[in-house]
Structure formats: C-alpha cells, structure tokens
Amino acid sequence: MGGLGGFGGFFDPRAAGYDDPVLVAATDGVGTKLKIAIDAGGHDGVGVDLVAMCVNDLVVQGAEPLFFLDYFATGKLAPETAERVVAGIAEGCRLAGCALIGGETAEMPGMYGPGDYDLAGFSVGAVERGRQLTGADISEGDVVLGLTSSGVHSNGFSLVRKVVERAGLSYGDAAPFADGNSLAEAFLTPTRVYVKPCLQAIRAGGVKALAHITGGGLLENIPRVLPAGLEAKLDARAWLLPPVFQWLQRTGGVDELEMLRTFNCGIGMVVIATPERADAVEATLRDAGEQVHRLGEVVAGDGQVAIDGLATAWSAA
C-alpha cells in the first residue's frame, strides 16, 4: 500500500489473502561474511544472504514472509556498492516472494573504516491463526529430512577467516575445494532461500516442524523444535559432507563436534514429517527443486541430537 519515500511502509495482509493472520517477525544480519565481501569487492550476493537469514526463520514457524526492510550503515556512501547490495536484497525478496517496502541508509563518518559497511534486515510474515508450526505435536517415529545448503551460508565466518589466514591464502586465490572459483567466489555463495519449497510442503500436509540450520549448527538448532522427552537420531552416512566443509575441517584442524556446532555441514534446513506423509513431503520438496536427504528419525531422549556413523562418514569424505 502506498509508495516509497514516506516515513514508513504500509502493508495490507488481507490483500495478500489472509483472513485472520498471526504476524511473525524476524531480524538478522550477515555477520563477518561481510568482511570477505568488502575485502574481495564481492557485494552482489550479501543482500540475498540478508533476506535469507530473516525469511528462513519465518517459514520454520509456518509463516509466509510478507515484507522486508533493510538497514545499510557505512562511514561514507559508495553509491555503486550500495546499489549492488540493494540489488541483492531485491533478488532475495523475489526468491522469498515478499515485498521490499522500505529501508534506511545511514552515513556515520568515524564509525566505520574506509569501504566498510554493515547490514541488518527485518521481515514480517503471516500465518493463519491456528496453523503455526511449533513442533508441539512431534512424536517418536517422525522422519527427519534435510535440505542441502548452498555452502557455508552466513554463519561461522570468523572461523572461516581464521582458517584462510592459517592456510596462507588470499581471497583472490583459487579455492582448493571448488574448481574454477576463487576463495571469495566460493565463500560468498549466497545463503539458500528455502521459503517457497517449504511453504509448498507445509500446505500439502505432513510437516510437523522445520529448523533453520544457522549458528549452532545441527546440534543446537534441531533441539529448538523438539518437545521434552524426545531427541533426533541422525545418520551421518545419509548425506555427503561438501568439499568446502571437508577443507575447513582438514585445514583448520576442527573436530567433528565443533564443525557441527559452527557450520550447517551441508544441511541448511531440517524438516520433521509424519512417517505416513514423509515420502510425499520429500517428493514435494524435490519437485520444488530441493535436494532432500532422509537423515533419521525422532526417538525418545533428552532433547538432544545424536549422530551415528560420524567418524566413518567423515573419514570417507
């Protein structure tokens, strides 16, 4: 509703097809991944990262992202850089199916070094009352599915930068784990936006919960949706540890548990489905373009994540 240039943006949930919506809000940033973007001049994808980190947190609650706002802060505005960043934000909103209805650009001399900038994003979504995903109805025997990530996404980059430094490489060097790409190109691959495929699966039925695998990895994000007395039992042999994570683990000397707490390790979104509908949920997600892995199941336990076959699977990788 309305246009750009006012003091705020208007949005009509009823025009988006909702009768009795519950609003869900999320905010996030891109983190120290921005340091690589700034150092390498790779500004095009971080806007997608910004949107993805917010809207993926909305869809896990069953909500459709409605609109997005951004905050771009810098010492002195470089119009070309800002244009590339905002173009990425617009692309992220297109991928998520939400409206970019406003934002703020702040010049703060003395707060940031030459060329530095920071980003924050804010998104609001809606779900019809009573249709929220809370995980409260998860039970023993439910199936745990994993959706493949596009790479490191937007978490763990303080460790990434330390590993690159330890390896004595610069971001313009060829990536040892990605033929034809520089390190910057490989690490700046945008975070995957899972909104549309997940909404399709939710609306088709059988999805009990979703978990966005961000900071804390598989070990700390899946428990956020598990009811008391249950845990997720996964099999590490169900998916391949992608080459970027193999290189980070080997070069940085990072142990398996630290990897699983820091990175998504190839699984960017987890879907928990009823056993009777798991095949259908998996088919819906595949038809929507996702690579789906059957990771394991929900069992009785203490609210944690147990991963079998880790040493065997990762040593083989």
Side-chain angles (χ1 to χ4, degrees):
M1 297 175 62
L4 297 176
F7 288 94
F10 291 90
F11 191 93
D12 181 2
R14 289 195 176 184
Y18 288 88
D19 296 319
D20 185 19
V22 173
L23 297 182
V24 185
T27 183
D28 212 332
V30 183
T32 58
K33 185 174 186 177
L34 287 179
K35 287 292 294 179
I36 298 176
I38 292 166
D39 292 346
H43 309 290
D44 301 283
V46 292
V48 177
D49 287 307
L50 184 66
V51 175
M53 294 300 289
C54 295
V55 298
N56 286 341
D57 278 355
L58 295 181
V59 75
V60 299
Q61 296 165 98
E64 175 187 11
L66 299 178
F67 58 84
F68 189 88
L69 300 97
D70 68 276
Y71 177 77
F72 181 102
T74 187
K76 179 175 176 58
L77 184 65
E80 181 185 353
T81 297
E83 182 179 352
R84 291 168 65 186
V85 171
V86 174
I89 293 171
E91 173 64 9
C93 288
R94 185 190 67 78
L95 292 170
C98 66
L100 178 59
I101 65 169
E104 171 71 5
T105 301
E107 280 190 304
M108 295 185 282
M111 285 288 291
Y112 297 89
D116 286 347
Y117 62 87
D118 198 9
L119 297 174
F122 314 87
S123 190
V124 172
V127 56
E128 292 288 6
R129 191 179 304 275
R131 296 182 186 174
Q132 302 98 309
L133 287 183
T134 65
D137 59 344
I138 292 175
S139 57
E140 287 187 63
D142 284 342
V143 176
V144 182
L145 304 174
L147 308 187
T148 300
S149 68
S150 57
V152 183
H153 285 183
S154 297
N155 297 102
F157 274 89
S158 294
L159 181 53
V160 167
R161 289 163 51 233
K162 287 182 180 178
V163 173
V164 171
E165 181 181 1
R166 176 175 178 172
L169 297 173
S170 67
Y171 293 107
D173 292 336
F177 50 85
D179 290 343
N181 289 319
S182 68
L183 273 177
E185 290 169 336
F187 284 126
L188 291 176
T189 301
T191 303
R192 190 163 180 81
V193 177
Y194 296 101
V195 170
K196 292 181 180 179
C198 286
L199 285 175
Q200 289 182 42
I202 292 167
R203 290 164 180 168
V207 175
K208 288 190 174 182
L210 301 169
H212 184 200
I213 308 305
T214 56
L218 290 163
L219 297 184
E220 295 182 9
N221 283 290
I222 297 176
R224 296 169 69 177
V225 301
L226 293 175
L230 297 175
E231 70 179 34
K233 185 176 181 180
L234 312 184
D235 187 343
R237 293 160 292 196
W239 82 99
L240 177 67
L241 183 69
V244 59
F245 298 108
Q246 296 177 34
W247 183 81
L248 287 167
Q249 183 187 21
R250 182 174 62 252
T251 307
V254 186
D255 67 47
E256 286 89 350
L257 291 180
E258 184 65 20
M259 289 290 296
L260 287 162
R261 287 194 181 97
T262 305
F263 301 114
N264 64 63
C265 293
I267 302 296
M269 181 72 75
V270 163
V271 182
I272 298 179
T274 63
E276 299 79 13
R277 293 282 300 166
D279 288 342
V281 170
E282 185 172 348
T284 297
L285 291 166
R286 289 188 188 279
D287 289 346
E290 296 299 325
Q291 296 181 46
V292 188
H293 306 276
R294 192 163 293 211
L295 303 182
E297 63 179 347
V298 177
V299 299
D302 57 359
Q304 302 301 309
V305 175
I307 303 183
D308 291 338
L310 188 59
T312 301
W314 284 23
S315 62

